[in-house]
Amino acid sequence: MDNSQHELYEYARDRIKQKKFLSLHLILLVIGSLFFFVANNWLSLYPETNWWIWAVTIWGFIFLFHTIKVFITDSFMNKNWERAQIDKLMLKQTKKIEQLNNDLENSKEQ
């Protein structure tokens, strides 16, 4: 397996792992929501308020952020994006160094 194929394999493996943890997060959210509901209403844990709604809402927002990270952020800002940014910065630095060397040679000639 050459280097580029290995990188593709590693990227695919990481994406599968991210999606697997997102699925696990969803399952835990559903089970946890049911547990909070039961604890609040049937086990009478602080029954004067519906605190389970707030807990599930906060957890839902955390799940939403996790979903955005997996499907949006990591899809666009992956290894290829990082590599392109590094190449762009290296090219910019190379051009600056060449310009400085040209300026130095021009100043020596004068």
Side-chain angles (χ1 to χ4, degrees):
M1 184 181 293
D2 68 346
N3 196 22
S4 64
Q5 286 180 333
H6 184 69
E7 286 181 18
L8 290 173
Y9 170 78
E10 288 294 323
Y11 175 71
R13 195 177 89 190
D14 288 342
R15 292 290 294 158
I16 289 171
K17 190 183 294 185
Q18 286 178 339
K19 290 178 182 181
K20 180 180 171 183
F21 282 126
L22 183 67
S23 300
L24 179 64
H25 191 173
L26 177 62
I27 292 168
L28 289 175
L29 173 63
V30 171
I31 292 171
S33 299
L34 289 172
F35 174 76
F36 289 156
F37 176 78
V38 168
N40 186 217
N41 293 321
W42 292 352
L43 299 178
S44 298
L45 189 63
Y46 300 106
E48 60 275 359
T49 61
N50 285 331
W51 57 266
W52 72 273
I53 295 172
W54 291 102
V56 171
T57 302
I58 291 169
W59 199 348
F61 277 116
I62 293 169
F63 178 75
L64 178 67
F65 290 137
H66 188 181
T67 304
I68 289 170
K69 180 184 181 301
V70 170
F71 287 111
I72 296 173
T73 306
D74 286 352
S75 291
F76 296 116
M77 295 183 164
N78 56 20
K79 295 276 184 184
N80 294 332
W81 179 83
E82 287 179 19
R83 191 171 299 122
Q85 293 300 314
I86 289 171
D87 290 343
K88 190 164 85 171
L89 289 173
M90 288 175 61
L91 181 64
K92 191 175 181 179
Q93 288 175 340
T94 304
K95 286 181 181 179
K96 282 185 180 182
I97 290 171
E98 287 176 3
Q99 181 64 36
L100 289 172
N101 284 338
N102 289 339
D103 290 346
L104 183 61
E105 287 177 11
N106 289 340
S107 66
K108 285 182 181 180
E109 290 175 1
Q110 293 175 359

